[in-house]
Amino acid sequence: MFSQLMFPFLLDVNNEGELHIETMSWLIILMGGCAFLALQFVDMPYGRYASSKFGFLINVKAAWFIQEIPSLAIPLYLLFINAGNKPVQLPNQLLLGMFICHYTHRSLLFPFLIRGGKPSPFIPFAMAFTFCAYNGYLQARYLIKYAVYSSNWITDPRFLTGSALWFLGLLVNLHSDQILRNLRKPGETGYKIPRGGMFQYVSSANFLGEIVEWMGFAVACWSLPSAAFAIFTFLILASRAAQHHRWYLEKFEDYPKTRMVLIPFLY
């Protein structure tokens, strides 16, 4: 009953395509739960934790570009093949635009701004590529073909609140990434304590920004696929944030003891 009230489209799964979208959404939540449990026992093997035990190593810039590009290319492709069919309505365009905006930066800009990153092992790279392809298809397919919003959805409090959260999360994510990049001067490869911005409050400000971003997207979309993506993001990034926090405390004796893991003043 709760899921039907929260996501009304579940009341009317009247064709195979909608059932397919619903099944894919629940699978994302299941994958997130399984990954969350696994990451309580095994550190995510990339970046500072990278190890050749998880496959041959790939240049970090190439890995980030290749693994993220499906979340940009697939929505653009689905938009292209939809041209001439039923027009995509304005609310759907704006919501899909949020998704495309994030992955334009994540695939075409972010990888080439990395300074001194460690190579990525093949297994986590392949898993990230698979997820980006899967989720890129799910979000775009739903918004292009199945999502139905009223003509005044863009003035609905859910859309306005979600859009504001999405934009706030995007800004925090971009600013935090910039702080992390600027910790290293050209040619440097070591690690330093990040300071400034939301790093004053949490160890993983970049993850906090991304979680807020996709929570906002889920509120603005008010759909099962977007909620599944937000839940998956939280489960994965919360695990990684805890991993980072432990690492900082072990590596730096002067690490701020009042700094939280992920949620300011709480966790």
Side-chain angles (χ1 to χ4, degrees):
M1 177 62 71
F2 176 75
S3 62
Q4 291 177 343
L5 290 173
M6 290 295 290
F7 308 111
F9 88 99
L10 289 177
L11 288 169
D12 187 26
V13 179
N14 54 18
N15 62 56
E16 245 181 72
E18 289 184 0
L19 181 60
H20 181 61
I21 293 295
E22 182 179 343
T23 302
M24 290 184 70
S25 300
W26 287 113
L27 281 174
I28 280 190
I29 295 173
L30 178 62
M31 286 189 291
C34 291
F36 178 82
L37 291 174
L39 290 173
Q40 306 312 301
F41 305 98
V42 180
D43 287 340
M44 181 73 81
Y46 86 103
R48 68 195 68 172
Y49 317 105
S51 168
S52 57
K53 293 187 297 184
F54 293 90
F56 61 88
L57 300 179
I58 305 169
N59 175 273
V60 64
K61 294 184 178 182
W64 270 102
F65 169 73
I66 295 169
Q67 74 187 33
E68 301 292 319
I69 198 67
S71 284
L72 174 62
I74 291 174
L76 292 177
Y77 172 73
L78 292 177
L79 277 172
F80 175 76
I81 64 174
N82 185 70
N85 297 328
K86 180 181 176 182
V88 179
Q89 299 303 306
L90 179 59
N92 305 58
Q93 292 178 29
L94 294 174
L95 293 166
L96 187 59
M98 293 179 189
F99 189 84
I100 289 174
C101 176
H102 174 92
Y103 281 102
T104 296
H105 171 265
R106 187 60 73 187
S107 60
L108 300 183
L109 297 176
F110 174 80
F112 306 104
L113 295 173
I114 294 173
R115 295 181 184 175
K118 291 185 177 180
S120 298
F122 177 76
I123 291 176
F125 157 77
M127 293 173 67
F129 176 88
T130 302
F131 176 79
C132 285
Y134 184 102
N135 188 57
Y137 172 84
L138 173 62
Q139 304 302 327
R141 185 68 169 169
Y142 174 71
L143 287 170
I144 292 171
K145 187 171 178 63
Y146 298 110
V148 178
Y149 295 101
S150 63
S151 58
N152 63 349
W153 181 253
I154 59 175
T155 61
D156 187 285
R158 290 166 292 185
F159 179 85
L160 296 174
T161 301
S163 298
L165 283 172
W166 174 84
F167 187 65
L168 174 63
L170 178 67
L171 291 180
V172 170
N173 183 246
L174 294 178
H175 183 238
S176 301
D177 281 343
Q178 183 181 29
I179 289 173
L180 291 173
R181 276 195 301 272
N182 290 338
L183 288 176
R184 288 176 178 156
K185 296 177 182 178
E188 287 187 337
T189 58
Y191 291 96
K192 301 176 183 178
I193 299 174
R195 302 184 189 277
M198 291 304 294
F199 282 111
Q200 293 298 109
Y201 306 99
V202 297
S203 293
S204 296
N206 50 334
F207 295 163
L208 171 63
E210 192 156 351
I211 288 170
V212 171
E213 188 180 351
W214 295 123
M215 285 177 59
F217 180 71
V219 173
C221 290
W222 207 252
S223 67
L224 180 60
S226 59
F229 181 30
I231 292 168
F232 180 93
T233 300
F234 175 79
L235 291 172
I236 298 300
L237 296 188
S239 299
R240 289 167 58 185
Q243 179 184 1
H244 280 7
H245 190 71
R246 291 193 301 269
W247 183 87
Y248 279 126
L249 290 173
E250 291 170 2
K251 186 171 181 64
F252 298 102
E253 292 183 1
D254 59 338
Y255 193 73
K257 298 298 186 288
T258 58
R259 191 176 293 187
M260 297 289 102
V261 176
L262 184 63
I263 303 173
F265 311 113
L266 296 176
Y267 169 70

